[in-house]
Amino acid sequence: MFTRVNLIYATLLVLVLSTGYFLDGMFGLLIIVNSAVGMVQEIRAKRTLDRLALLNHAPIRVERADGVHEVRSEDVVLDDIVVIAAGDQIPVDGTLIDATALEIDESLLTGEADPVLPEPGNAVLSGSFVVAGSGRILATAVGPDSYAERLAAEASTFKKPSSQLRAGIDKILKYITWILVPVGLATIWNQLAGGQEWRDALRGLVAALVPMVPEGLVLMTSVAMAVGVIRLGRRNCLVQDLPAIEQLARVDVFCTDKTGTLTEDGMRVSRIEVADSTDRSPDDPDVFAVLATIGHAEGKLTGSMAAVLEHVRSQQPLATTRLIAFSSARKWAAVQLEAPRAGGISWVFGAPDVILPADCELHARAESLSTEGHRVLALASSAQPVAESGLPEALVPVALVVLDQRLRADVPDAIRYFRDQQVELKVISGDNAAAVGAISEQAGIPDGRVAVDARSLDPEAPEFAREIAAHTAFGRVTPTQKRAMVHALQGDDRIVGMTGDGVNDVFALKDADVGVAMGSGSPAARAVSRIVLLDNSFATLPHVVAEGRRVIGNIERVATLFLTKTFYSALLAFLVVVTAIPYPFLPRHVTLIGVFTIGIPAFFLALAPNTARAQDGFVRRVLGQAVPGGLGAAFAAYGAYLAARSVFGVEEATRVMNSSTALLALIAVAFFVLIAVARPFAWWKVALVAAMMGCVLAVLVTPLGRTVFDIDLRDWRAVALALGFGAGGILLRTLAGLLLRGRWRRRLSDVRRPAT
């Protein structure tokens, strides 16, 4: 309610009401309409976001006297014991009680990308992410007393997501405010100096200033954004900040993870293949027991580990002396047993191409299975102890665990949409490059079969950016490489969208122009993303992109209508002051034109389908359309008014006839601008324009309309003058548009070029 536009309108309303001409204060209803419609839409959007945020809520596990409970973040109290695991965002400040291979990422708080390895007794801070392992924390500060909350409240350098659209509109409104004061002073001086009675002078002032304010532009922007949030909410898409919708409309390259994004969440172990060099069987108890031990030691299971545990569920875990939890950077997990099993004291489980020798039989078999689209993990043993610094020596290949991962059924259609919209896709995964290529090819991603092993890429090398631009699919990508790939694309002036669901995607999601997380992904991924797909469906992304394009494209379209009115009003006021004649219109005339040629049509056009990709230069493009329209409209109205004064005279008795002539000429140009903005036509747009013309015609020809709006067009000469100058204004608008868009010379050369 308390906006710059409403303040200007309220001031002008008080002025016009002081004259006693209450009908001229009809524009004051726009204050109520602006506020009411904006409030209703924003409240609806707020309720939608609240409902979705509840679905997106990540419960916190606390250990109390009666066991482990899942509670909301606001229900955590001092001295609670909070259980944390890989992928969690730490909700409180506290002291680490115990830990199992715990690694914490504090980059959001400190800017340091390297994981921290805390020991029991160390302090941990809220806002950090658990990269690997698990542990328990004694809460020492919760809610607003926690470090993350204090940092958010006190950080003066916090920068909200940028919005080119809102910045452009704010810039336009600022310029208009500067223009209003001198134009208003010059207009009122001109009216009074011309001998007008003060009431008529004030009415002329208000009539000159009201159309200069694009009252509906801010409203339409809010409504379009809010409706976009509601529409996406119905598709279980949580928009965590409104500018994300706008930015997504500008995206021209999408980087996507493979597992959990292109493929289904759930996996299953199809078989276990043991090395020929051993005498083990696929259901060897030692293999099953070690897999169960590694799986149970993980604080939070990945999809792969959950499938492995499901396969070996009958086995009990073994006693261990050391555990190294799985991390995306290492791509392996390891345990050191209290009592050696057959094959060694240490067991390593992870990526075959990382832990297996390149010349062993299982390595070649894993490559072959990966090219078929399977996810493959390897198990190896060693007589040497394990350490975080690297793999134990003398690893002996033991077995391959083959998992089935299925492409999501709706992914190919989504990929096809992006291809049609000329949005480039890149698959960036930590999985084996061959498996990434196989899935990319199944999804229909161009050149996806040839996947690059990211271990051969150096982010510091000068050719890194060229490699990223030249290829489509990448495997064995580390979290820091993912972020470097996003930066490389951004350095090439690309607008980058990033999708992911794991803690290994956090860096890239945070640094991308638009981070999109899966609802079933880690809390860390959801926390740093601007959009969350709560239904975990990659196929929702086309709807999100389309909604962003609809919002931005339509706001740009209706902005042309509002700013055309602003420009012709300012120009008309200037001409009236320079030539020292009375202002031709009453405030009620301005209301008539604003409602039927701008206000009502803009509301419907702002919600229409629009698939054009948003581009930079909002203000320049809008002014390129609005300035020619404003020139044509001002010429038509001013020319018709002067002509009417010369034909009908300048006496008070002919004032209504003169104003009506100018009004009809202005209406003709205004409808031409509306028709141009409404293109390309659809049946409902034709019906909309026809309905608006019918309403204006009813006002012009009916006795009630003529009386309420003080119009008199009964003399055929007035109609002829109005239509003639209206046609001239339309021609001027067309020519000015051609000149501004740089097409005039090109069209002349086309005319003069000999036929071939």
Side-chain angles (χ1 to χ4, degrees), residues 43-58 226-242 245 518-520 526 530-536 540 544:
I43 290 172
R44 287 183 63 198
K46 174 69 164 56
R47 288 177 175 172
T48 301
L49 289 175
D50 287 345
R51 177 178 61 83
L52 296 178
L54 185 62
L55 295 175
N56 188 46
H57 172 71
V227 170
V229 169
I230 295 168
R231 285 181 172 177
L232 292 177
R234 291 171 182 163
R235 295 186 178 275
N236 286 317
C237 175
L238 172 61
V239 181
Q240 308 214 77
D241 64 77
L242 284 181
I245 296 180
M518 297 295 167
S520 63
R526 299 200 304 270
R530 302 176 69 181
I531 294 175
V532 181
L533 306 180
L534 297 176
D535 58 0
N536 306 307
T540 303
V544 179

Side-chain angles (χ1 to χ4, degrees), residues 153-213:
E154 298 170 6
S156 59
T157 58
F158 174 75
K159 184 179 179 182
K160 290 184 179 180
S162 62
S163 168
Q164 294 184 35
L165 183 67
R166 290 190 181 276
I169 293 174
D170 288 343
K171 182 185 294 186
I172 290 169
L173 289 176
K174 181 174 67 175
Y175 293 156
I176 291 171
T177 304
W178 291 347
I179 294 172
L180 281 176
V181 174
V183 169
L185 293 175
T187 301
I188 192 66
W189 175 83
N190 176 62
Q191 304 289 84
L192 293 174
Q196 280 192 311
E197 199 263 339
W198 72 270
R199 291 182 178 84
D200 292 335
L202 277 183
R203 286 204 295 169
L205 168 67
V206 172
L209 297 186
V210 164
M212 292 177 60
V213 183

Side-chain angles (χ1 to χ4, degrees), residues 246-491:
E246 173 189 347
Q247 197 72 339
L248 200 55
R250 306 180 192 277
V251 164
D252 56 9
V253 58
F254 244 116
C255 301
T256 176
D257 189 24
K258 177 182 73 70
T259 307
T261 303
L262 299 182
T263 60
E264 294 179 357
D265 291 324
M267 287 185 281
R268 64 180 181 86
V269 176
S270 64
R271 60 190 180 277
I272 294 178
E273 298 186 6
V274 297
D276 293 339
S277 58
T278 69
D279 57 357
R280 302 177 187 277
S281 65
D283 56 354
D284 185 280
D286 284 336
V287 173
F288 275 40
V290 170
L291 291 175
T293 303
I294 295 174
H296 283 290
E298 293 285 340
K300 179 172 284 188
L301 297 176
T302 62
S304 302
M305 192 56 72
V308 171
L309 277 184
E310 175 67 21
H311 188 71
V312 300
R313 58 182 178 272
S314 60
Q315 287 289 335
Q316 292 298 315
L318 305 172
T320 62
T321 59
R322 190 176 184 83
L323 166 72
I324 299 178
F326 179 84
S327 79
S328 300
R330 283 190 300 265
K331 302 194 183 304
W332 53 267
V335 293
Q336 186 173 314
L337 306 179
E338 283 187 1
R341 307 288 286 188
I345 189 173
S346 300
W347 293 76
V348 181
F349 185 56
D353 49 346
V354 174
I355 69 174
L356 297 181
D359 57 352
C360 78
E361 55 174 307
L362 285 187
H363 188 283
R365 177 60 178 158
E367 287 292 324
S368 175
L369 290 168
S370 296
T371 59
E372 299 172 8
H374 295 288
R375 184 174 178 83
V376 184
L377 298 171
L379 182 67
S381 64
S382 173
Q384 302 299 317
V386 299
E388 283 89 349
S389 57
L391 292 166
E393 296 179 358
L395 277 172
V396 178
V398 175
L400 295 178
V401 178
V402 184
L403 300 104
D404 283 338
Q405 51 182 5
R406 296 180 297 276
L407 186 73
R408 292 180 183 269
D410 48 15
V411 163
D413 289 338
I415 299 296
R416 195 174 302 112
Y417 169 84
F418 285 121
R419 290 174 59 184
D420 293 342
Q421 296 298 316
Q422 298 180 333
V423 177
E424 188 178 355
L425 287 161
K426 293 188 182 293
V427 182
I428 300 176
S429 174
D431 206 349
N432 179 277
V436 174
I439 291 296
S440 300
E441 185 181 45
Q442 291 179 35
I445 295 176
D447 303 320
R449 183 65 185 184
V450 183
V452 176
D453 192 319
R455 289 174 296 185
S456 64
L457 302 177
D458 180 8
E460 302 299 326
E463 65 272 10
F464 180 77
R466 291 196 299 270
E467 290 291 324
I468 303 306
H471 296 91
T472 300
F474 302 86
R476 292 292 177 235
V477 186
T478 65
T480 53
Q481 280 181 318
K482 287 189 178 184
R483 178 164 59 177
M485 289 177 175
V486 169
H487 290 172
L489 292 168
Q490 290 171 329

